[in-house]
Amino acid sequence: MLKHYLSAADLSRAEAEALLERAAGLKAEFHANGRGAHSGLPLQGKTLALVFEKPSLRTRVAFEAGMTQLGGHGSYLSANDIDMGGRESVPDVARNLSRWVQAIAARVFKHATVETLARHATVPVINALSDREHPCQALADMLTLRERFGQLQGLHLAYVGDGNNVCHSLLLLGASLGVNIAVACPPDYRPDPEILEHAEHLAATSGARITLTAAPEEAVTGAAAVYTDVWTSMGQEHETARRVPVFTPYQVNPALMARADRGAVFLHCLPAHRGEEVTAEVIDGPQSVVFDQAENRLHVQKALILTLLERGAG
Ligand code: CP
Ligand code: NVA
């Protein structure tokens, strides 16, 4: 039973499939209603605290707008407001928030911070991005692929670039849902071996295949979807100069996309740096589904909150 959502692996395959189905239903209702509120306002009187140590456009607005559309409210707290671990300890932030709100979404530097919040909160805690995972993003990515291809089992997804938080959550959720994932990373920027092992384990059950290479052309050949992310994640800005030459051969450009299937789609969690990890032709071209991914953040995050609050710790 889902109590918190800290990792994409916190959802069983059945729970992930049910959540995607629910998100698709919410999306249909949202558009049928003229992009307004959901009938019955199921979260009336409920508040989601958004504790963010890093900037955000998509995650923050998708949670805030999602709460509004469900009849509830999102309360945003930046690092300047609460200074978790400085002004107040992480356990005390969790204990205080639990007395006022029904759920907490936290964007943090260290993954251990969301784990500490979850340990001390009496309401569900959602990982809104940590240095280890970005599990809300992976849900939106899977919904986007499901919309495009109908089914996820056996789909070939290539991830090209940094073996980072976004890559980790894609590996875990994709493996669980039967997606074949080919990762191409520079040798020093591979995914965490523990995550890879976990993904392999999930893949063994779902029938998915996980492959790891240093060659982007190899990962992308025959792919139905090509995914990349920034070369330097939030918190790693001091490494930019070192990373650029290492990642330059991993740019997703028309030549690389030409090796994928003819109908292949391009994915990126955003924000993107055109001319670095992806060229403008690709991200602004007909194969790009990046704004569908962004929209789908809204629908999966609403489905996630509803699911957690029905079964949750609060
Ligand atoms: N993709 C994503 O999480 O975007 P934000 O950092 O803007 O929330
Ligand atoms: N890997 C990126 C994702 C941003 C949504 C980061 O952590 O900055």
Side-chain angles (χ1 to χ4, degrees):
M1 191 156 87
L2 186 63
K3 189 170 172 188
H4 302 289
Y5 187 55
L6 307 186
S7 164
D10 290 343
L11 289 171
S12 67
R13 180 177 192 168
E15 285 172 328
E17 283 171 346
L19 204 146
L20 294 179
E21 192 61 35
R22 186 170 202 170
L26 288 165
K27 182 171 185 175
E29 193 191 339
F30 176 68
H31 288 288
N33 282 351
R35 304 172 79 251
H38 289 280
S39 55
L41 301 177
L43 298 186
Q44 205 159 25
K46 304 214 191 283
T47 305
L48 170 72
L50 297 155
V51 180
F52 277 38
E53 294 182 335
K54 301 175 182 174
S56 168
L57 174 67
R58 279 148 291 274
T59 310
R60 175 183 176 176
V61 178
F63 273 128
E64 289 184 339
M67 287 302 290
T68 304
Q69 290 158 19
L70 293 167
H73 174 70
S75 180
Y76 178 78
L77 300 153
S78 75
N80 286 340
D81 297 309
I82 61 172
D83 184 19
M84 253 195 315
R87 180 169 185 264
E88 191 145 13
S89 74
V90 177
D92 275 5
V93 170
R95 292 178 185 119
N96 276 274
L97 288 173
S98 297
R99 298 291 181 112
W100 306 313
V101 305
Q102 282 67 39
I104 301 168
R107 169 166 287 199
V108 300
F109 284 96
K110 296 198 186 85
H111 188 73
T113 305
V114 281
E115 292 178 332
T116 306
L117 281 171
R119 229 177 3 261
H120 296 278
T122 56
V123 298
V125 174
I126 298 168
N127 179 358
L129 181 144
S130 67
D131 57 355
R132 189 170 174 84
E133 280 205 49
H134 196 3
C136 296
Q137 181 67 52
L139 285 171
D141 302 337
M142 291 301 142
L143 180 60
T144 307
L145 291 174
R146 212 184 83 136
E147 288 171 347
R148 288 281 158 165
F149 297 102
Q151 70 153 20
L152 297 173
Q153 184 73 43
L155 196 77
H156 175 175
L157 167 67
Y159 177 91
V160 178
D162 190 13
N164 62 13
N165 46 8
V166 167
C167 177
H168 287 165
S169 293
L170 260 187
L171 275 167
L172 293 170
L173 194 63
S176 164
L177 291 169
V179 179
N180 297 332
I181 308 180
V183 177
C185 299
D188 291 340
Y189 296 90
R190 290 200 175 123
D192 185 306
E194 261 181 42
I195 299 259
L196 266 177
E197 198 184 317
H198 195 164
E200 296 280 7
H201 179 77
L202 294 167
T205 307
S206 72
R209 210 173 47 245
I210 310 270
T211 55
L212 187 59
T213 172
E217 304 75 22
E218 198 183 301
V220 161
T221 300
V226 179
Y227 199 124
T228 193
D229 185 15
V230 291
W231 295 338
T232 303
S233 285
M234 291 180 277
Q236 300 171 334
E237 290 76 5
H238 58 285
E239 296 179 23
T240 302
R242 174 150 45 98
R243 284 171 171 259
V244 169
V246 177
F247 282 99
T248 297
Y250 292 81
Q251 183 186 67
V252 178
N253 51 35
L256 191 66
M257 285 303 288
R259 294 181 175 260
D261 272 357
R262 276 169 70 87
V265 293
F266 170 76
L267 296 103
H268 191 308
C269 60
L270 305 178
H273 297 123
R274 288 168 175 77
E276 292 183 29
E277 76 274 7
V278 60
T279 61
E281 296 102 296
V282 171
I283 195 168
D284 300 321
Q287 289 173 289
S288 177
V289 293
V290 299
F291 299 111
D292 291 337
Q293 288 174 269
E295 174 177 341
N296 286 339
R297 297 294 303 278
L298 175 69
H299 309 301
V300 297
Q301 287 171 206
K302 283 195 283 198
L304 178 64
I305 295 167
L306 286 169
T307 303
L308 282 165
L309 290 185
E310 280 162 11
R311 312 177 191 176

